[in-house]
Amino acid sequence: MRMKKGSWLNYFVFKNIKLRKGRFFIAISAVMLTVAVLTAFVVLSTGIREKMSRELQSYGANMIVTTLTGLPLKEDVTKRIVSNPLVRGFKAHIYGTLTIRGQELEVIGVRKKDFKGVRLEGSFPEGGNQVIVGVKLAEALGIKKGQSLKEEKRGVTFRVSGIFERGSKADTAIVMDLATAREFFGIKGFSALLLNVDTRYISRFTSELKRDFPSLKITTVKQVALAEEKLLKKIELLMVVVSLVVVFSAAITMGSTVGANIIERMEEIGLMKALGARASEVGRFFLYEAMLSGIIGSLLGTLAGVAIAEAVSRTAFNSFVGVEIFWLPLLICLGVVIAVAATLLPVRRATSMRPSSILRGEG
Amino acid sequence: MSIIEVQSLRKDYSTAAALRGVDLVIEKGQWVSIIGPSGSGKTTLLNIIGGLDHPTDGKVFVKGTDINALSEDELSVFRRENIGFVFQQSHLIPYLDATENVMLAQYFHSLPDRKEAEEALKRVGLGHRLTHRPSQLSGGEQQRVCIARALINNPSILLADEPTGNLDRTNTRNVLELLRRLHQEEHFTVVMVTHDPYVTEWAERVIKMEDGRIITDESVSG
């Protein structure tokens, strides 16, 4: 019974693979390593900016928005600003003053969830006339937790629910809950918005805000923004360099594996040509095998790459990184292309030789 | 009627000339032995006739086709349609069994056919070795597989380069007897290179080469 050409090709290639498992395994490993590194790089680099940005938000705001007139920001303006996708996070503040013991003291109204990165002895003021006092102010005025403070202008008494230390200018201020501050100072809207904006688009965002809201005063906290961007760029560069080095060495491994495989099989190539095989027909056997190692290696490499990326993300950010699925088929194709391309050159060189030279052992 | 015609053939290598102007005509169905010492140019001549190598100068007509005028791909197709090779080294694919090694030649020619390949092996006396790998066969058996492989596509010319070079006298005789039988049955042309005078005794015509030239060309009677 006559066999179809394709069936024979399969049969021949799989028989060869079965006999030369070791070589095939090395070829697969080389593809796998290359694709794993590429996958890990792609997954991490697409996810890392978001992760890092989230981490970097703890650096604080990189933009402060107030009004040129000193009036509070209106609620609708605030909503439009914070709903911009470039805004990664925001804190709304209300500023005012309390007259206590004959002194005008600065007050910041803030939400509890926004009051982070602070050492607090006591509890955040919740409801009622509670405040917390900055450590420097407390020391200066001898204020203690649990004490009452009388606001002299309005005749309202506040209870000190805690003493906080931020290590900044805020340590000389009094902090109260945002809602309490609003009510107390009779402010609709906010005194200031502290934004954390994606550093890549900070200039664009500033221009847009100025165009849409000419009455706003926008201050960029340059140190924070620049530090963020510099750090992100450094990390990205490091990842590119490491990936290039690994991919380069993996490509060399793959090239030498294929090269050694071809040298070992030169006699076969010479024989096939003597039997009347065209160069393309000889190449088909080797490229088919390369394609198989490419597909298997790429599939395994992609899985390994995702696992590596997740492990790195878990270690560095304590959370998993999101995988953009459309990258995976692209990476698999890339692995196959690399495997086939690495095979193409040595096969072309071998098949262009005269069969007589190969069979004489001159290959 | 001539099947092979060689005109003023030269082959120069960087270090020396392998062929220095060879003229030769081989008739269809002839069994020709080319004998000569090592380096006399006999294998080079055979390779050029088979399109495995190119001459530096001169012409080679096989079945009326100027094979040097063919492209590499055309030459490959010409080889598989017209020529079968048997080499001193068997050059069998180690991971294929005897039948599959024969089928490989079918694959490049047309379509592999296991039954036909098995028949070919039975004709060379290897019906009991169909599924044996080359490493499981003796030297004589390996050469028989090569003969079956060379003849599976019914070539009009069989080119053999020292086919018995690695065999003892008994196996040499067995292989030659087999070739003679097939030659008589199928009437293909045999051009066999050898340095063994015993092998030339089986030929109808013996060409002696030395230093890249034909020294003698004699027809041998029965």
Side-chain angles (χ1 to χ4, degrees):
Chain A
M1 197 185 76
R2 287 190 182 275
M3 277 176 91
K4 283 183 183 166
K5 284 243 174 195
S7 315
W8 172 257
L9 185 69
N10 277 330
Y11 183 77
F12 186 96
V13 168
F14 280 102
K15 247 197 143 167
N16 170 52
I17 290 171
K18 205 172 149 192
L19 191 88
R20 303 155 67 93
K21 287 187 208 92
R23 283 263 175 245
F24 191 64
F25 178 74
I26 292 171
I28 287 177
S29 306
V31 180
M32 188 178 146
L33 178 64
T34 311
V35 175
V37 171
L38 283 172
T39 306
F41 170 69
V42 167
V43 171
L44 280 174
S45 59
T46 51
I48 201 165
R49 189 168 263 282
E50 187 206 333
K51 294 273 174 200
M52 284 300 295
S53 297
R54 226 172 272 164
E55 292 292 315
L56 288 169
Q57 281 176 40
S58 62
Y59 277 29
N62 53 23
M63 186 182 277
I64 299 168
V65 180
T66 52
T67 58
L68 288 167
T69 55
L71 291 169
L73 290 155
K74 289 179 184 165
E75 291 231 27
D76 58 329
V77 173
T78 306
K79 270 184 191 162
R80 278 181 62 187
I81 293 172
V82 299
S83 62
N84 189 304
L86 297 178
V87 176
R88 299 181 296 202
F90 75 97
K91 293 173 190 173
H93 281 183
I94 282 177
Y95 302 128
T97 54
L98 295 178
T99 309
I100 293 169
R101 297 180 190 171
Q103 291 186 44
E104 279 218 336
L105 303 176
E106 191 188 336
V107 178
I108 305 168
V110 62
R111 287 191 193 96
K112 185 184 179 185
K113 71 178 177 68
D114 295 335
F115 198 66
K116 285 177 188 163
V118 176
R119 198 161 64 86
L120 175 63
E121 194 190 315
S123 59
F124 189 83
E126 286 184 82
N129 292 337
Q130 290 188 5
V131 293
I132 51 175
V133 180
V135 66
K136 283 186 182 165
L137 180 66
E139 277 172 15
L141 299 182
I143 299 169
K144 298 238 167 8
K145 189 181 87 174
Q147 254 187 346
S148 293
L149 296 174
K150 188 165 184 192
E151 207 285 330
E152 288 150 10
K153 272 192 182 169
R154 298 169 183 85
V156 178
T157 302
F158 292 93
R159 198 178 69 83
V160 178
S161 65
I163 307 292
F164 70 88
E165 185 176 6
R166 175 159 226 159
S168 69
K169 237 173 75 183
D171 289 350
T172 58
I174 293 170
V175 166
M176 60 173 70
D177 179 57
L178 189 84
T180 311
R182 263 184 164 175
E183 198 184 323
F184 186 79
F185 295 113
I187 293 175
K188 287 178 180 171
F190 305 102
S191 307
L193 276 178
L194 282 69
L195 304 179
N196 190 289
V197 179
D198 191 327
T199 47
R200 286 172 296 181
Y201 309 108
I202 207 156
S203 304
R204 197 182 93 191
F205 183 71
T206 307
S207 311
E208 280 176 17
L209 275 190
K210 280 184 176 164
R211 186 194 63 209
D212 297 344
F213 308 104
S215 63
L216 293 184
K217 184 183 172 194
I218 299 152
T219 314
T220 307
V221 186
K222 281 193 177 148
Q223 292 94 325
V224 175
L226 288 174
E228 273 191 37
E229 193 55 24
K230 220 169 159 183
L231 183 62
L232 284 171
K233 280 198 169 142
K234 270 186 186 168
I235 289 169
E236 279 177 357
L237 181 70
L238 180 72
M239 286 179 69
V240 169
V241 170
V242 170
S243 298
L244 283 178
V245 169
V246 178
V247 167
F248 182 68
S249 46
I252 287 177
T253 309
M254 217 158 103
S256 53
T257 305
V258 173
N261 188 21
I262 301 285
I263 288 169
E264 269 183 28
R265 298 177 68 185
M266 282 303 274
E267 189 187 335
E268 262 178 66
I269 293 173
L271 172 74
M272 286 180 184
K273 290 200 80 181
L275 291 176
R278 285 189 286 241
S280 58
E281 289 169 324
V282 177
R284 203 172 293 159
F285 284 92
F286 291 89
L287 294 179
Y288 183 43
E289 202 178 308
M291 212 170 73
L292 284 177
S293 60
I295 291 169
I296 299 170
S298 298
L299 283 171
L300 295 175
T302 311
L303 292 176
V306 171
I308 292 166
E310 295 300 351
V312 170
S313 177
R314 190 96 189 112
T315 312
F317 306 110
N318 211 23
S319 68
F320 289 112
V321 69
V323 180
E324 292 187 31
I325 297 293
F326 79 93
W327 276 106
L328 302 184
L330 282 179
L331 287 160
I332 291 168
C333 289
L334 187 69
V336 176
V337 168
I338 290 172
V340 171
T343 311
L344 207 58
L345 196 70
V347 166
R348 279 190 70 166
R349 207 166 37 214
T351 53
S352 65
M353 285 182 73
R354 300 227 178 288
S356 57
S357 308
I358 301 175
L359 293 173
R360 269 203 305 270
E362 290 172 8
Chain B
M1 197 179 106
S2 72
I3 192 164
I4 298 167
E5 195 173 340
V6 173
Q7 296 170 357
S8 310
L9 203 63
R10 278 193 69 83
K11 177 69 181 178
D12 297 327
Y13 291 113
S14 53
T15 48
L19 297 174
R20 299 165 192 266
V22 172
D23 291 286
L24 175 68
V25 175
I26 295 173
E27 300 299 323
K28 190 179 173 192
Q30 255 188 345
W31 178 317
V32 179
S33 265
I34 303 175
I35 190 165
S38 191
S40 60
K42 54 190 191 302
T43 294
T44 304
L45 177 61
L46 193 83
N47 284 340
I48 293 174
I49 291 172
L52 298 181
D53 206 348
H54 280 286
T56 309
D57 202 7
K59 290 209 177 283
V60 179
F61 294 92
V62 180
K63 294 178 81 179
T65 303
D66 178 0
I67 62 167
N68 295 320
L70 300 177
S71 68
E72 279 300 317
D73 278 356
E74 287 168 340
L75 198 55
S76 294
V77 174
F78 186 82
R79 261 199 307 269
R80 67 190 179 203
E81 297 293 342
N82 300 291
I83 300 169
F85 287 96
V86 180
F87 302 98
Q88 182 175 0
Q89 263 77 38
S90 59
H91 294 308
L92 293 168
I93 307 279
Y95 49 87
L96 299 180
D97 64 29
T99 310
E100 290 159 355
N101 265 287
V102 177
M103 289 168 78
L104 186 65
Q106 290 179 310
Y107 171 80
F108 292 122
H109 180 265
S110 47
L111 288 173
D113 187 327
R114 183 170 287 278
K115 208 173 164 196
E116 264 182 28
E118 286 174 356
E119 283 303 318
L121 285 168
K122 282 175 191 165
R123 269 172 49 209
V124 298
L126 289 177
H128 60 303
R129 291 276 195 260
L130 298 176
T131 54
H132 284 62
R133 287 226 188 110
S135 57
Q136 298 166 314
L137 300 171
S138 70
E141 286 172 331
Q142 287 184 22
Q143 283 306 64
R144 283 164 180 266
V145 177
C146 293
I147 291 167
R149 182 179 64 188
L151 298 177
I152 188 71
N153 298 320
N154 302 311
S156 30
I157 301 165
L158 179 73
L159 300 179
D161 186 5
E162 306 265 16
T164 59
N166 289 340
L167 304 181
D168 59 24
R169 187 57 80 211
T170 310
N171 272 308
T172 297
R173 192 176 57 246
N174 290 342
V175 166
L176 292 170
E177 272 173 0
L178 169 69
L179 273 176
R180 176 179 277 176
R181 177 167 60 79
L182 296 170
H183 176 243
Q184 283 167 352
E185 284 170 12
E186 297 177 25
H187 311 294
F188 49 80
T189 306
V190 178
V191 182
M192 187 180 291
V193 160
T194 183
H195 63 268
D196 182 355
Y198 173 72
V199 176
T200 62
E201 289 171 17
W202 298 70
E204 300 163 352
R205 181 179 167 195
V206 177
I207 294 166
K208 191 170 180 191
M209 287 188 73
E210 221 174 270
D211 200 21
R213 291 190 183 89
I214 293 175
I215 306 297
T216 60
D217 186 346
E218 293 171 348
S219 291
V220 183
S221 53

